[in-house]
């Protein structure tokens, strides 16, 4: 039987830096990259465009099942429109959080995510990559950082984009989001028991990448050590 295509699952809370780290890990290994949060953001944006409410489960499910999206190296196209920046707005983030709590949407996106598993391998980033989408991932990482470090990173990112935000408000927003993500009844943010924890509060992205690549080399030298 063919060995399954290897997956590295990187999960963690918002602004933990997992996007940057996961992309760099994928690039160093020449693997495909899945930003699962972008899928929830795209469903949210399509719902906003079509004025479909968060309470309209059938409507949201329909959008998720027929999402017309193209990921290129540089951009994300929804119905042929470049929405790379638009899916990152505060409005879209709030709506994505609501959309992601809908079980029918999660189910509709499950197969789409699994289809991203292609040779030579996949680095998948999100909240439930190790626990639900790729339970047999070769390596599972739970990437986190203190709320203060994450708020500072977000503050810096927003400043670079010319967006004014205050640190105390960003910190409060992150804490509220964590609370919602961890306590929601559907797919709460919960690390898999076998996930390796990486606290990046005092670490550069490159140090985090090197640590994960080291863990991956170890996991790959012990066949099926992490599979279930
Ligand atoms: O990682 P992100 O901020 O782009 O995610 C956007 C939203 O989608 C956020 O509210 C968390 C949610 N999400 C999820 O529920 N499951 C995933 N695998 C990825 C993201």
């Amino acid at each position: 039987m063919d060995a399954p295509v290897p997956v590295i699952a990187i999960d963690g809370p918002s602004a933990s830096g997992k996007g940057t780290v996961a992309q760099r890990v994928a690039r160093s290994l020449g693997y495909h990259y899945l930003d699962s949060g972008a899928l929830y953001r795209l469903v949210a944006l399509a719902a906003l465009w079509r004025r479909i409410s968060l309470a309209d489960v059938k409507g949201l499910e329909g959008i998720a099942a027929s999402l017309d999206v193209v990921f290129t190296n540089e951009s994300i196209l929804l119905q042929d429109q470049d929405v790379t920046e638009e899916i990152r707005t505060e409005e879209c983030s709030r709506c994505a959080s609501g959309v992601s709590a809908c079980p029918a949407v999660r189910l509709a996106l499950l197969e789409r995510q699994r289809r991203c598993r292609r040779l030579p391998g996949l680095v998948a980033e999100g909240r439930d990559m190790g626990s639900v989408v790729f339970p047999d991932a070769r390596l599972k990482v739970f990437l986190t950082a203190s709320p203060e470090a994450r708020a500072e990173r977000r503050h810096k990112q927003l400043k670079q984009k010319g967006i004014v935000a205050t640190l105390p408000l960003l910190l409060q927003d992150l804490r509220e989001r964590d609370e919602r993500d961890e306590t929601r009844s559907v797919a709460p943010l919960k690390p898999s028991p076998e996930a390796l924890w990486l606290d990046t509060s005092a670490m550069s992205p490159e140090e985090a990448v090197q640590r994960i690549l080291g863990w991956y080399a170890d996991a790959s030298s012990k066949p099926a050590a992490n599979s279930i």
Side-chain angles (χ1 to χ4, degrees):
M1 207 177 80
D2 289 341
V5 175
V7 174
I8 300 178
I10 302 182
D11 290 304
S14 54
S16 56
K18 58 188 189 312
T20 309
V21 171
Q23 277 181 66
R24 291 195 196 176
V25 170
R27 211 177 306 135
S28 339
L29 294 167
Y31 280 12
H32 299 281
Y33 165 64
L34 167 65
D35 172 3
S36 62
L39 291 174
Y40 292 95
R41 289 172 179 274
L42 286 158
V43 174
L45 183 61
L48 287 167
W49 281 356
R50 293 183 213 169
R51 298 188 190 283
I52 287 177
S53 110
L54 288 180
D56 180 355
V57 173
K58 279 274 155 230
L60 294 178
E61 185 184 10
I63 290 177
S66 60
L67 209 54
D68 171 14
V69 59
V70 176
F71 288 89
T72 71
N73 280 345
E74 303 300 325
S75 48
I76 301 175
L77 306 179
L78 179 62
Q79 294 163 217
D80 295 326
Q81 206 168 308
D82 188 339
V83 295
T84 319
E85 294 295 327
E86 209 174 337
I87 59 165
R88 306 284 162 196
T89 62
E90 272 310 299
E91 187 189 20
C92 205
S93 300
R94 260 194 309 274
C95 190
S97 172
V99 159
S100 68
C102 174
V105 169
R106 301 199 76 87
L107 192 62
L109 292 180
L110 191 59
E111 274 316 305
R112 184 185 284 267
Q113 293 172 83
R114 289 187 174 153
R115 280 200 303 274
C116 297
R117 185 174 194 164
R118 279 176 281 125
L119 283 169
L122 176 72
V123 179
E125 172 237 311
R127 305 291 194 287
D128 60 347
M129 297 298 96
S131 54
V132 176
V133 184
F134 302 108
D136 63 342
R138 187 176 287 176
L139 174 68
K140 299 180 187 181
V141 177
F142 190 75
L143 199 82
T144 188
S146 68
E148 291 76 13
R150 287 155 51 210
E152 277 198 25
R153 284 176 196 165
R154 173 141 298 163
H155 190 242
K156 219 161 119 188
Q157 277 170 355
L158 290 173
K159 212 168 150 192
Q160 277 165 359
K161 288 186 189 170
I163 301 170
V164 182
T166 70
L167 211 47
L169 275 181
L170 285 174
L171 187 56
Q172 188 188 335
D173 182 55
L174 269 177
R175 288 205 158 113
E176 284 170 6
R177 242 183 243 196
D178 283 356
E179 166 87 16
R180 267 201 312 272
D181 276 358
E182 286 160 17
T183 56
R184 68 182 181 202
S185 57
V186 182
L189 174 64
K190 207 166 128 251
S192 310
E194 66 273 37
L196 300 180
W197 281 60
L198 187 55
D199 186 325
T200 64
S201 305
M203 228 181 228
S204 70
E206 201 41 46
E207 284 171 306
V209 169
Q210 291 309 322
R211 184 74 63 87
I212 292 173
L213 289 173
W215 284 342
Y216 187 57
D218 288 347
S220 299
S221 65
K222 294 180 255 163
N226 262 336
S227 61
I228 58 165

